[in-house]
Amino acid sequence: MKYRFFGNTDFAVSIVGFGVWTVSTTMWGVTDHEVRIKLLRRARELGITFYDTADVYGDGVGETILKEAFGKDLDQLQVATKFGYDWYNYPGVQPGQRERPQDWSPAFIRSACERSLTRLGVESIDLYQLHNPRMSQIASDDIFSTLDSLKAEGKIRHAGVALGPAIDLRQRDEGIAAFEQRDVASVQIIFNMFEQMLGPGVFDAAKKAKGGVMCRVPHSSGLLEGAYTAETTFASNDHRSFRVKTSEARKEWLDKGLRKVEKLDFLMRDTGRTLAQAALQFVWSEPSMTSAIPNIYDLAQLEEFAAAADVSPLTASELSAIADLYNHDFYLSEPAAVGAN
């Protein structure tokens, strides 16, 4: 495993993070509690020290499960959690996976922080992130004054912004504003070989502010894991069924994604990498990228992702070929193969 700092902070984490979302909700099919705990503990054994969660995941389970898995040893790991959703007054999965109402008042932020500290069983949260804010929240002095006070009191170490929920071009401006206007250690975005639209601007802003970026969905909702086929289906409560809402749209999304994957064979040919590992090496090729948070839902996959830190980085020619593919929509309208020299 390798480790990077968030910009010029003293906050270092494993470049492979663990997104606790998959083991604290049922949206990725991990429902056995013993399996959830085993995955978390095995990740630590593999050198993964960074766990990204949120208070709203499983209505608190995303935090209590870390306390259960690691106990007092959680202080030796790095935990990023999030706040902003008022799931206390709006519990349970919302109809159609709608977002819960948000509360950004100083009183709510303080209350949410105290409750997160209790659920985690720690005295200080390493990274406390606004959960899917809009530009108005990034512009709010009240929110960031409250975070500054929590830092001064030792309840949080660093503040950050997690942008979402679904990828949207407006998030690029939000990420830039967070780095330019606020004292944040990190901005979290969706970024992968198939979805690069938020990178330009956010990466430059991170470098200027001397902050770090973390990305979730580095495998484009599983397309870049190399396990999907044209026959792959998703359960009705699976996150991917909500991301692509109709069966016709899901088939189109899957078919197009698989055609793109075929164009990436050169990343595995004689390199010792799997597609999933190449996808992680792609995001790490960006200097401001501190950690990638893949979706982890079985042991073999966890070990494959953790091993990605030690496979060969992508070469300049491979990165150039990926850029060319992306800029031309992977040449899906053309039959000729594209590869790296």
Side-chain angles (χ1 to χ4, degrees), residues 140-152:
S140 170
D141 290 338
D142 285 346
I143 292 174
F144 285 91
S145 292
T146 303
L147 293 175
D148 286 342
S149 295
L150 291 172
K151 281 193 278 188

Side-chain angles (χ1 to χ4, degrees), residues 196-273:
Q196 301 181 37
M197 57 282 288
L198 300 185
V202 173
F203 296 148
D204 287 342
K207 292 164 190 169
K208 291 176 183 176
K210 298 183 179 179
V213 180
M214 73 169 95
C215 76
R216 66 182 184 279
V217 201
H219 295 108
S220 192
S221 296
L223 285 170
L224 289 165
E225 291 174 14
Y228 289 177
T229 70
E231 287 71 45
T232 297
T233 59
F234 307 109
S236 61
N237 67 335
D238 190 289
H239 163 68
R240 289 156 290 195
S241 290
F242 291 103
R243 177 175 181 174
V244 188
K245 297 186 182 302
T246 68
S247 58
E248 293 81 6
R250 279 194 294 276
K251 185 177 186 306
E252 181 181 358
W253 171 78
L254 181 60
D255 290 348
K256 185 174 182 180
L258 291 174
R259 291 169 63 201
K260 289 181 179 180
V261 166
E262 291 177 356
K263 306 280 189 175
L264 296 173
D265 180 68
F266 66 92
L267 295 176
M268 289 79 74
R269 195 183 307 130
D270 300 322
T271 65
R273 313 183 198 105

Side-chain angles (χ1 to χ4, degrees), residues 124-199:
S124 183
I125 295 167
D126 296 305
L127 179 63
Y128 203 40
Q129 303 166 95
L130 284 72
H131 199 173
N132 300 338
R134 300 295 184 264
M135 191 67 82
S136 57
Q137 282 81 53
I138 293 168
S140 170
D141 290 338
D142 285 346
I143 292 174
F144 285 91
S145 292
T146 303
L147 293 175
D148 286 342
S149 295
L150 291 172
K151 281 193 278 188
E153 295 163 20
K155 297 183 184 298
I156 67 174
R157 290 182 60 203
H158 303 282
V161 171
L163 300 174
I167 195 167
D168 189 306
L169 269 177
R170 63 168 170 73
Q171 294 160 15
R172 185 166 59 194
D173 292 335
E174 292 165 355
I176 292 170
F179 277 127
E180 290 182 346
Q181 301 173 21
R182 299 300 174 185
D183 180 20
V184 296
S186 76
V187 167
Q188 181 180 154
I189 60 173
I190 292 173
F191 185 77
N192 55 68
M193 279 193 279
F194 291 168
E195 299 166 300
Q196 301 181 37
M197 57 282 288
L198 300 185

Side-chain angles (χ1 to χ4, degrees), residues 79-124:
V79 175
T81 192
K82 309 180 189 78
F83 67 94
Y85 285 111
D86 183 9
W87 57 273
Y88 301 99
N89 290 311
Y90 301 89
V93 176
Q94 302 300 289
Q97 294 298 308
R98 289 197 298 267
E99 293 184 79
R100 323 289 180 95
Q102 293 174 312
D103 189 337
W104 301 103
S105 66
F108 182 82
I109 295 171
R110 281 193 162 276
S111 174
C113 182
E114 293 290 353
R115 295 184 193 190
S116 287
L117 287 167
T118 298
R119 284 189 293 269
L120 290 165
V122 297
E123 294 183 358
S124 183

Side-chain angles (χ1 to χ4, degrees), residues 40-91:
L40 290 167
R41 291 175 176 168
R42 180 57 179 153
R44 184 190 181 191
E45 293 172 353
L46 293 169
I48 295 174
T49 62
F50 186 41
Y51 295 80
D52 178 67
T53 191
D55 60 356
V56 73
Y57 294 167
D59 288 5
V61 174
E63 294 173 333
T64 58
I65 197 170
L66 290 175
K67 182 179 180 180
E68 180 181 353
F70 301 116
K72 293 181 179 179
D73 289 345
L74 193 57
D75 279 335
Q76 301 172 24
L77 304 173
Q78 293 82 49
V79 175
T81 192
K82 309 180 189 78
F83 67 94
Y85 285 111
D86 183 9
W87 57 273
Y88 301 99
N89 290 311
Y90 301 89

